[in-house]
Amino acid sequence: MTDHHSPHPPHGSDSSGSSGSSGSSGTEAGLRDRWHDTLVAARAGAAGPDPLPYAENLLARWAEPQRRYHTTAHLSTVLDRVDTLAGHADDVHAVRLAAWFHDAVYRPDRSENEERSAALAERALPEAGVPDAVTEEVARLVRLTVTHDPADGDRNGEVLCDADLAILAGGPQEYGAYAAQVREEYGFVPDEAFRAGRAAVLRQLRDLPRLFRTPYGAAEWEARARHNLATELELLASSGTG
């Protein structure tokens, strides 16, 4: 997520970004149940292998030590936001699967995270019993998180992108924790370079005609997100001159 509409800055040698701690065992148990229900629904009655090993593989990826924002806590939050927006989606099961995979491969010093995450979905989902058409849609949605810029009428893309960017509309403490966690993920980047990269990404987001494409996102998240972006840009500018 370098020069695209990602809420994270360009990364040292290449590029990309996840959430606080890896989550409690209770959270992970709930996520396993959610994965099971989503995978079974996406199979549309077809047989398939035990969902649990796939959940364990994904949860292990989301708990990798290089993650500070893109953790199981972020995954859980995105799934919650998808639930909020579910009525807008054409295929909410595909959107939920895409949420599971959208940062499954995550290295903050690399730029191909989304592509590798999509490729992982393309390998895992057919083996897990998901129809080809749903797998293709999941992979398309994961790749869409490079830009967070769905085409008009792409209702599945609008739901996933709005859910992923909803953190931008967090309250002061939530947004502050998010910004700090992103900085931790890019701890290998010197302060001046980080400020420049982060500010560039925030300006790209600020300059979009709309951050949120769903009716709910536009009504509930747009104004606060724009306030947060402006505030962080001011803080970055002042810390760079102070």
Side-chain angles (χ1 to χ4, degrees):
M1 305 181 180
T2 48
D3 53 346
H4 305 295
H5 305 320
S6 159
H8 317 297
H11 329 307
S13 48
D14 264 320
S15 64
S16 229
S18 251
S19 190
S21 65
S22 61
S24 66
S25 58
T27 298
E28 290 192 357
L31 284 169
R32 290 184 187 94
D33 290 342
R34 293 170 87 162
W35 168 261
H36 176 279
D37 294 347
T38 296
L39 182 60
V40 169
R43 287 173 177 167
D50 182 359
L52 183 59
Y54 296 91
E56 298 296 352
N57 180 283
L58 286 164
L59 288 171
R61 291 174 178 274
W62 284 92
E64 291 164 341
Q66 76 275 15
R67 299 169 181 258
R68 294 297 182 272
Y69 171 66
H70 296 88
T71 66
T72 51
H74 172 61
L75 170 61
S76 183
T77 298
V78 171
L79 289 169
D80 288 345
R81 299 295 179 263
V82 170
D83 288 348
T84 298
L85 304 172
H88 187 76
D90 288 326
D91 183 351
V92 73
H93 306 311
V95 178
R96 289 188 175 115
L97 287 174
W100 274 91
F101 280 95
H102 81 285
D103 283 317
V105 177
Y106 176 68
R107 285 279 304 276
D109 60 338
R110 300 287 179 86
S111 60
E112 73 278 9
N113 291 303
E114 294 86 359
E115 178 57 35
R116 293 180 67 189
S117 295
L120 178 67
E122 289 170 329
R123 293 194 304 272
L125 290 176
E127 180 184 292
V130 174
D132 289 346
V134 178
T135 296
E136 291 172 8
E137 177 66 355
V138 171
R140 183 189 73 82
L141 291 169
V142 172
R143 292 184 173 105
L144 188 59
T145 63
V146 173
T147 62
H148 292 96
D149 190 16
D152 290 341
D154 179 3
R155 294 168 71 94
N156 290 340
E158 289 173 347
V159 170
L160 180 63
C161 291
D162 278 18
D164 196 26
L165 293 181
I167 184 60
L168 300 177
Q173 286 189 316
E174 184 182 12
Y175 189 90
Y178 148 72
Q181 289 159 0
V182 170
R183 181 64 184 108
E184 287 181 42
E185 286 190 334
Y186 297 101
F188 56 89
V189 179
D191 286 345
E192 184 175 351
F194 178 84
R195 284 194 298 268
R198 177 73 174 168
V201 170
L202 296 178
R203 285 193 294 268
Q204 284 182 324
L205 290 165
R206 180 197 63 190
D207 293 344
L208 288 174
R210 293 178 296 164
L211 288 168
F212 299 100
R213 307 300 184 86
T214 65
Y216 184 96
E220 299 295 329
W221 298 333
E222 184 84 18
R224 183 181 295 173
R226 290 196 174 276
H227 172 77
N228 286 337
L229 291 176
T231 299
E232 188 180 356
L233 278 166
E234 290 174 8
L235 290 171
L236 288 169
S238 63
S239 63
T241 58

